[in-house]
Amino acid sequence: MPEPEKVVYKRVMLKISGEALMGDQGYGLHPPTVERIAREVQSVQEMGVEICMVIGGGNIFRGLQGSAQGMERTTADYMGMLATVMNALAMQAALEGLKIHTRVISAITMNEVAEPYIRRRAVRHLEKKRICIFAAGTGNPYFTTDTAATLRASEMACEAIFKGTKVDGVYDKDPNKHDDAKRYETITYDEVLAQHLGVMDASAIALARENSLPIIVFSLDEPGGFRAILDGTGTSTTVVA
């Protein structure tokens, strides 16, 4: 078996949106896209990196959107959490199709489809080189999957959060609308909050800041993008103190 490559981070959290799984469709899951992302994750695991994942549920149901349409917010948020479990199971199936041992760990108890969240057990899975996909957010309404990813990353002693998006970093304005948009190499947590740059929600940024957890924003649409950041050749923005 080849020696693992030298990488900056040994244990990371990959946070992606539910929309990332729907490909060019307007909703739902696009199996070829799910498989492509699974292969990206596989390429990083082969470097010897331990990987946690959190996937949003916006491709199926978004709690805030349901709330805006008159649904009671708590109910809408729980429905959103269940959507994240569906996405986690889809990603698990794709990863296990690549012969990668994977565990879906849910903050809401549903023993027939996922393990309950027990921190020590999850850490042990990571030590055994299994990929842990944390589903159902924090298990509480009013918290986003961004906050859940930051919380789990802190609990698992991850060294960084990798936020996969459609652009290769954080810009001062939308690069799809403005040709003169400037990408930051690094930016502070406080600058992200002050400028409302939308990297993650405010509570997630604050939690990352309190735990000195860097957030690395990169393009998940770029083939090999996840691996390239870890081997030092990719383009990204790092959010730090």
Side-chain angles (χ1 to χ4, degrees):
M1 187 173 175
E3 284 288 313
E5 296 180 44
K6 288 185 178 179
V7 291
V8 177
Y9 303 108
K10 294 296 184 185
R11 181 179 293 173
V12 302
M13 167 64 73
L14 175 62
K15 167 62 172 72
I16 61 177
S17 67
E19 287 88 345
L21 304 185
M22 67 188 188
D24 294 329
Q25 301 173 156
Y27 62 91
L29 289 157
H30 184 237
T33 300
V34 177
E35 184 177 339
R36 178 184 65 78
I37 294 172
R39 290 191 183 278
E40 295 275 338
V41 173
Q42 178 188 40
S43 71
V44 169
Q45 191 196 45
E46 288 172 349
M47 300 170 78
V49 179
E50 296 171 1
I51 303 169
C52 305
M53 294 181 70
V54 168
I55 307 171
N59 57 320
I60 299 171
F61 187 87
R62 185 180 293 278
L64 271 174
Q65 193 174 38
S67 179
Q69 293 174 359
M71 187 178 292
E72 197 262 329
R73 173 68 189 269
T74 302
T75 299
D77 279 357
Y78 278 122
M79 291 173 68
M81 289 180 222
L82 296 178
T84 72
V85 176
M86 295 171 69
N87 285 339
L89 292 173
M91 183 58 64
Q92 180 185 41
L95 287 165
E96 292 190 338
L98 299 172
K99 310 299 183 194
I100 298 170
H101 295 294
T102 309
R103 296 290 186 273
V104 172
I105 301 171
S106 174
I108 297 175
T109 304
M110 46 183 80
N111 292 329
E112 287 75 14
V113 297
E115 289 186 10
Y117 176 68
I118 300 170
R119 189 186 69 83
R120 288 179 180 272
R121 182 187 291 177
V123 169
R124 187 67 180 135
H125 287 321
L126 291 172
E127 291 170 349
K128 290 185 175 182
K129 308 303 179 187
R130 296 166 182 158
I131 290 175
C132 291
I133 307 175
F134 296 102
T138 66
N140 302 289
Y142 296 96
F143 289 93
T144 67
T145 50
D146 281 344
T147 302
T150 310
L151 175 64
R152 296 292 183 242
S154 301
E155 291 177 301
M156 295 297 106
C158 291
E159 296 165 358
I161 299 172
F162 283 73
K163 176 77 182 283
T165 68
K166 292 188 176 296
V167 292
D168 58 357
V170 180
Y171 286 78
D172 58 353
K173 48 190 153 184
D174 189 342
N176 295 317
K177 297 178 181 176
H178 303 277
D179 292 336
D180 61 341
K182 184 184 77 171
R183 183 178 62 81
Y184 299 100
E185 287 290 334
T186 61
I187 189 169
T188 69
Y189 304 112
D190 290 338
E191 287 171 333
V192 167
L193 292 172
Q195 297 178 43
H196 304 285
L197 293 176
V199 175
M200 286 181 157
D201 66 77
S203 58
I205 294 291
L207 185 58
R209 179 179 59 192
E210 287 170 18
N211 291 283
S212 301
L213 195 59
I215 302 168
I216 298 161
V217 183
F218 71 103
S219 173
L220 196 65
D221 289 345
E222 185 72 29
F226 188 18
R227 183 186 179 100
I229 305 304
L230 279 154
D231 67 20
T233 61
T235 303
S236 64
T237 297
T238 303
V239 184
V240 290

